[in-house]
Amino acid sequence: MEKLKLIIYREFLIKVRNKSFIVLTFLSPILVIGMGFLVFYLTQVNESTVKHIAIVDNSTLEIGSLLQSNESVTYIDLTVVGLDKSKVLVKENNYDGLLYLPVIEDDLKEYSHKIMYFSADTPNFMLIKSLENKIANRLKFFHLEKIGIQAQTIYDATYNVAIHQENFYGEESSKLGAGLKIGLGTGAGYLVMMFIIIYGNSVMRSVIEEKTSRVIEVIVSSVKPFQLLLGKIIGNASAGLLQFFIWGLLIVFCSIAASMFLGVDLMAMNTPKLPVNQMAENLENYDDIVFVLKEILQLPLVTMVLLFVFYFLGGFFLYSSIYAAIGAAVDSETDTQQFMLPVIIPLMLAVYVGFAAVISDPHGPVATTFSIIPFTSPIVMLMRIPFGVAWYELLGSMLLLVVTFLGIVLLAAKIYKVGILMYGKKPSYKDLYKWLRY
Amino acid sequence: MLKIDQVSKHYGEYTALDAVSLEVPKGSVFGLLGPNGAGKTSLIRILNQIILPDEGTVYLDGEQLQPKHISQIGYLPEERGLYKSMKVGEQALYLARLKGMTKKEATTQLKYWFEKFEISDWWHKKIQELSKGMAQKVQFIVTVLHKPKLLIFDEPFSGFDPVNAELIAKEILLLKDEGATIIFSTHRMESVEKMCDHIALIHQSKKILDGKISEIQKQYKTNIFDVGVVTNDESKLTTELKEVFEVKPSKLYSFHDAVKFQVKTSDKNTSEKLLQLLQKHGEVIHFSEQIPTMNSIFMQAVSNKTSLK
């Protein structure tokens, strides 16, 4: 036990003293936030260029009145000039496009397909979609007025429905809340995948280093290979947890800073059963950021954090023992390629299944199955947890993960034990199987 | 001290050790010899409990080998290595503590050895900053630091220059004087003769020879004597010698203007007879039996075994 502690401590120290750990821990959040701002800024710059769109409206729909020029688009009515001349003018003046509505016909359905847009380049998808919506709306009103229904009547009969969501315990949920859950769940799952790959590789490199520097023979004459393997995995996992912990602290610190800046009492908001009307009032009083914070605080955060730690450790133990066995089997990092695919595929599958199945139906059969299978559960289950998972599913998934990682660690340790003392020959899968029986 | 009883090890269908039995006396320097691939490394790994034997048992001081014995064994592997990017002092401490020493004990011992080898200023250097020979010194210290009862050196002199090899040889003999038992695996036969008192020869996974060096040398003795005589009548001496013994010219170097021969004795024509004959013809200034070198014993034993197969 004393020796295991020594190994864990050394592996942990080596990892956290490494420059890449410090950079990853402190610089990557800044990098992520910075990238966010950069993308936001670039989108703003992209949208800040004003588009010029000419309109030739030969219909009686008065589309021009619907299309108001704003900061990003200026509409120029060239109806009086006619289509042919307008085309020339648009080209001469380097306008972005020309919207053409022919003379109105009785059959509006057929007419709706005759409206045209001319431009030198492929037009912006969002712009065309918005024009289509506006014209379609105008055609609908035109049609209804033609059969004697007044515009005001139509306005009066138009309702904006926002379904109010609440679970059986009276806890509020909302579309924004669902979005947050998707964001947090997929974020956690993705993070676990990234960490398994990054830290798993780190375990593998550490094994290869011990093997190529030949220090391994000295070490295994003092400790059992299994102890060394376990120490390596636990040491690296601890470094990973430390990194999460630092990030957690940073998030808490930033949240407190943000709340102080916005003048919001976060603790007071941590009461999930707010009455609907109070919630609505709150909505009016605070801005969007505050609402997002409130939604986050309504999630079962402690459970989520604990389960995140459990699934991270479970997944990491499972995969890093395989990484260690691969490291032990080869003589250099370049030889690891042939064995990496079976490790990467389930991780990738988990993330893609998670993104596709959990978002569309977090409790559907695909999402549920993949959240039980131990090779994908650390990622998929984490994606499902914010939506609430039945305790028996959770328990089953957790038990299966523990049993599987124990089994895999034992198998990997067998390959590891033989591999660390084998030099020269590049092993095949057949060799690995043979090593299991030594 | 160490008893290896009928130890076998197989890797799949390959047999690395086949029912090897050995006894290493306490306080001896025991040479473990054998060509490459003979099974020496497997045996050493079994002694270090890196691998387990498939059959047979190893006893240390009468007790079956167990994990608790790890702290009583020091091992310098042939393929040496340390963590390249770790500092010398930190690494030595780590390895010493893995052998069961406390931090305080290890620090005191390390300081003693670092001063003895005049390398105290290396403490904060990384291994990758040291030369191969320097790293070997550190590794030697790490091997002996915890004062093990049993020391296993696999090719201890490889990588050392003659000056440092001499230093290490001296240290090994000092450790022996302090009561340690030493197993010495090597190909360098001159170091075997110089350092070992017992040997075992392993060939093709079997032990083919073991015992005290002096006894083995007796077993392999050739009965050939190098002789030198200052005589007035060389031809008469030669004729008389050749009548009784098998005689060859000797390359013996002598200050005197002597006649020199290599003479083979036998049970009937003994060395005593030879000496009497030589003394009859003049002053005997050289008379010594050729002692077989370990190299020739090694070669002969291996080739005998191979030709028998």
Side-chain angles (χ1 to χ4, degrees):
Chain A
M1 205 54 199
E2 196 57 38
K3 289 180 183 178
L4 181 64
K5 264 195 243 167
L6 277 171
I7 298 167
I8 294 172
Y9 184 62
R10 191 198 90 88
E11 292 292 333
F12 176 78
L13 267 193
I14 292 285
K15 186 76 205 163
V16 298
R17 267 198 216 150
N18 200 313
K19 280 190 194 99
S20 68
F21 179 85
I22 298 164
V23 170
L24 197 70
T25 309
F26 294 100
L27 278 187
S28 62
I30 298 172
L31 218 63
V32 168
I33 295 166
M35 285 292 278
F37 275 115
L38 186 70
V39 169
F40 180 72
Y41 171 73
L42 291 177
T43 322
Q44 291 289 309
V45 170
N46 200 27
E47 286 174 358
S48 67
T49 50
V50 180
K51 290 195 187 315
H52 291 87
I53 293 165
I55 305 169
V56 174
D57 182 7
N58 290 338
S59 70
T60 48
L61 293 171
E62 291 171 5
I63 284 295
S65 64
L66 281 175
L67 302 173
Q68 298 291 331
S69 295
N70 56 28
E71 284 170 356
S72 55
V73 190
T74 304
Y75 295 102
I76 306 120
D77 195 342
L78 295 179
T79 311
V80 286
V81 184
L83 179 63
D84 294 338
K85 278 190 183 167
S86 292
K87 279 187 187 170
V88 179
L89 271 175
V90 165
K91 267 195 230 168
E92 276 176 3
N93 291 309
N94 271 335
Y95 288 167
D96 295 280
L98 167 65
L99 176 69
Y100 171 62
L101 288 97
V103 178
I104 198 93
E105 294 169 10
D106 287 340
D107 187 348
L108 288 179
K109 279 229 184 310
E110 204 173 299
Y111 178 77
S112 66
H113 290 107
K114 287 183 176 167
I115 299 158
M116 296 184 77
Y117 185 87
F118 302 94
S119 65
D121 309 314
T122 311
N124 179 343
F125 172 79
M126 297 298 283
L127 175 81
I128 295 294
K129 200 74 208 158
S130 131
L131 288 174
E132 282 172 350
N133 283 342
K134 282 176 178 156
I135 297 167
N137 212 26
R138 183 71 195 92
L139 282 174
K140 185 169 81 184
F141 273 69
F142 181 74
H143 179 102
L144 292 171
E145 278 172 355
K146 231 169 64 172
I147 56 172
I149 301 166
Q150 291 306 303
Q152 192 53 48
T153 318
I154 305 167
Y155 281 126
D156 290 346
T158 305
Y159 302 99
N160 268 329
V161 179
I163 296 179
H164 185 76
Q165 300 168 49
E166 193 176 309
N167 68 11
F168 293 116
Y169 309 104
E171 287 166 354
E172 303 287 343
S173 55
S174 64
K175 270 189 285 186
L176 179 65
L180 267 176
K181 286 171 184 175
I182 289 173
L184 279 177
T186 50
Y190 194 76
L191 207 59
V192 163
M193 181 205 72
M194 291 299 294
F195 264 66
I196 287 175
I197 291 178
I198 293 172
Y199 279 82
N201 262 301
S202 154
V203 168
M204 186 176 78
R205 268 200 305 276
S206 155
V207 174
I208 294 175
E209 191 217 333
E210 278 174 355
K211 203 178 156 179
T212 50
S213 72
R214 313 274 169 157
V215 72
I216 189 74
E217 190 126 355
V218 177
I219 305 283
V220 293
S221 71
S222 306
V223 297
K224 285 201 177 94
F226 185 68
Q227 275 178 313
L228 182 61
L229 173 71
L230 211 60
K232 238 176 231 314
I233 294 174
I234 298 175
N236 273 278
S238 314
L241 284 179
L242 176 71
Q243 198 157 31
F244 287 135
F245 181 69
I246 294 172
W247 285 351
L249 278 186
L250 284 178
I251 290 170
V252 170
F253 177 75
C254 290
S255 307
I256 292 171
S259 70
M260 279 164 72
F261 181 69
L262 294 166
V264 180
D265 186 357
L266 282 174
M267 294 316 287
M269 287 186 1
N270 195 10
T271 45
K273 292 174 190 171
L274 277 178
V276 181
N277 53 358
Q278 193 184 329
M279 180 115 164
E281 277 171 28
N282 286 348
L283 262 176
E284 286 164 17
N285 294 341
Y286 301 120
D287 55 15
D288 287 351
I289 299 170
V290 181
F291 185 62
V292 170
L293 283 176
K294 186 203 295 283
E295 286 280 352
I296 291 174
L297 287 170
Q298 283 190 3
L299 292 169
L301 286 178
V302 176
T303 319
M304 277 167 65
V305 168
L306 289 178
L307 287 173
F308 177 83
V309 171
F310 175 84
Y311 277 101
F312 164 67
L313 290 180
F316 182 72
F317 271 51
L318 181 68
Y319 279 99
S320 64
S321 58
I322 302 176
Y323 271 106
I326 295 173
V330 299
D331 283 353
S332 73
E333 220 172 318
T334 43
D335 290 346
T336 59
Q337 303 301 332
Q338 57 166 332
F339 299 114
M340 292 313 288
L341 209 60
V343 183
I344 298 293
I345 283 178
L347 286 172
M348 286 298 176
L349 190 70
V351 166
Y352 288 128
V353 164
F355 279 154
V358 176
I359 292 172
S360 64
D361 184 2
H363 305 300
V366 177
T368 308
T369 310
F370 278 87
S371 67
I372 305 281
I373 298 171
F375 287 94
T376 51
S377 68
I379 294 164
V380 181
M381 188 55 101
L382 277 183
M383 294 185 172
R384 287 185 63 206
I385 284 167
F387 296 94
V389 178
W391 67 268
Y392 51 86
E393 274 181 26
L394 209 52
L395 189 72
S397 159
M398 288 165 91
L399 275 178
L400 210 56
L401 181 60
V402 171
V403 170
T404 311
F405 87 57
L406 286 177
I408 293 286
V409 167
L410 287 177
L411 282 183
K414 279 193 162 189
I415 293 178
Y416 178 79
K417 203 170 83 178
V418 180
I420 46 173
L421 298 171
M422 291 272 184
Y423 292 99
K425 199 185 156 215
K426 200 171 153 186
S428 60
Y429 280 106
K430 208 173 140 192
D431 292 322
L432 298 190
Y433 177 68
K434 259 199 262 169
W435 294 358
L436 285 177
R437 300 187 341 213
Y438 274 179
Chain B
M1 166 74 184
L2 182 75
K3 189 179 170 199
I4 297 160
D5 186 23
Q6 295 287 313
V7 163
S8 297
K9 180 73 192 170
H10 312 279
Y11 297 108
E13 282 165 20
Y14 175 74
T15 301
L17 285 172
D18 189 2
V20 171
S21 294
L22 281 178
E23 273 196 52
V24 180
K26 197 178 175 104
S28 65
V29 178
F30 192 95
L32 191 61
L33 318 178
N36 289 332
K40 291 183 308 255
T41 304
S42 289
L43 184 59
I44 289 176
R45 282 179 177 167
I46 287 172
L47 298 183
N48 279 298
Q49 303 180 64
I50 295 173
I51 52 174
L52 293 173
D54 296 327
E55 290 136 40
T57 322
V58 179
Y59 300 93
L60 186 68
D61 278 339
E63 267 187 319
Q64 200 173 332
L65 203 62
Q66 297 162 37
K68 69 166 187 184
H69 292 127
I70 281 173
S71 61
Q72 297 171 20
I73 301 175
Y75 174 41
L76 183 74
E78 182 182 3
E79 294 283 2
R80 269 155 242 170
L82 295 163
Y83 290 108
K84 288 192 173 63
S85 52
M86 226 173 149
K87 286 182 182 155
V88 173
E90 194 184 14
Q91 173 149 218
L93 262 179
Y94 173 64
L95 294 173
R97 293 188 67 196
L98 283 186
K99 278 285 182 191
M101 289 179 95
T102 64
K103 194 175 178 181
K104 201 176 155 195
E105 242 183 314
T107 313
T108 317
Q109 278 299 312
L110 274 173
K111 281 195 176 143
Y112 164 76
W113 278 98
F114 273 50
E115 272 164 28
K116 188 172 186 179
F117 278 18
E118 294 169 350
I119 58 169
S120 295
D121 52 337
W122 294 0
W123 191 273
H124 294 291
K125 277 192 179 161
K126 285 184 179 171
I127 291 292
Q128 62 201 10
E129 295 167 37
L130 304 183
S131 72
K132 197 180 166 195
M134 288 157 100
Q136 301 259 45
K137 267 190 182 177
V138 176
Q139 189 132 28
F140 179 81
I141 294 175
V142 167
T143 310
V144 301
L145 194 72
H146 56 293
K147 295 183 181 164
K149 281 201 271 188
L150 176 66
L151 276 157
I152 301 169
F153 294 113
D154 200 351
E155 293 292 352
F157 303 121
S158 73
F160 280 116
D161 59 57
V163 177
N164 281 317
E166 194 56 41
L167 175 79
I168 296 299
K170 214 176 88 192
E171 287 303 330
I172 291 176
L173 291 176
L174 270 175
L175 288 163
K176 180 199 165 190
D177 292 343
E178 284 167 17
T181 306
I182 291 154
I183 294 179
F184 200 88
S185 166
T186 184
H187 295 110
R188 285 168 63 166
M189 294 304 153
E190 72 280 5
S191 59
V192 174
E193 278 157 22
K194 193 174 137 196
M195 307 205 48
C196 302
D197 28 45
H198 286 72
I199 61 147
L201 179 57
I202 294 181
H203 181 50
Q204 288 173 344
S205 73
K206 287 191 174 76
K207 180 191 79 183
I208 54 170
L209 188 69
D210 75 326
K212 261 189 161 176
I213 280 207
S214 52
E215 277 162 19
I216 288 172
Q217 282 172 328
K218 250 184 223 165
Q219 249 181 58
Y220 279 80
K221 73 175 183 176
T222 52
N223 294 324
I224 293 174
F225 285 73
D226 283 308
V227 299
V229 185
V230 181
T231 177
N232 296 327
D233 197 348
E234 188 182 334
S235 62
K236 199 176 174 194
L237 169 65
T238 313
T239 319
E240 274 190 30
L241 263 179
K242 283 187 173 170
E243 276 170 11
V244 187
F245 299 98
E246 213 178 287
V247 181
K248 277 184 195 168
S250 170
K251 286 172 191 162
L252 194 75
Y253 176 77
S254 171
F255 290 121
H256 303 272
D257 189 15
V259 194
K260 289 158 277 180
F261 301 104
Q262 272 187 22
V263 185
K264 191 172 167 85
T265 59
S266 63
D267 292 345
K268 195 174 137 205
N269 302 311
T270 60
S271 54
E272 213 179 312
K273 240 184 190 178
L274 172 64
L275 186 62
Q276 282 169 5
L277 196 150
L278 293 173
Q279 280 172 335
K280 232 169 67 182
H281 291 276
E283 186 192 355
V284 179
I285 53 132
H286 195 93
F287 190 89
S288 69
E289 187 175 0
Q290 278 186 5
I291 295 170
T293 59
M294 278 320 295
N295 203 34
S296 61
I297 295 174
F298 180 93
M299 298 301 283
Q300 206 183 326
V302 168
S303 64
N304 283 352
K305 202 74 190 175
T306 314
S307 61
L308 277 176
K309 270 197 115 184

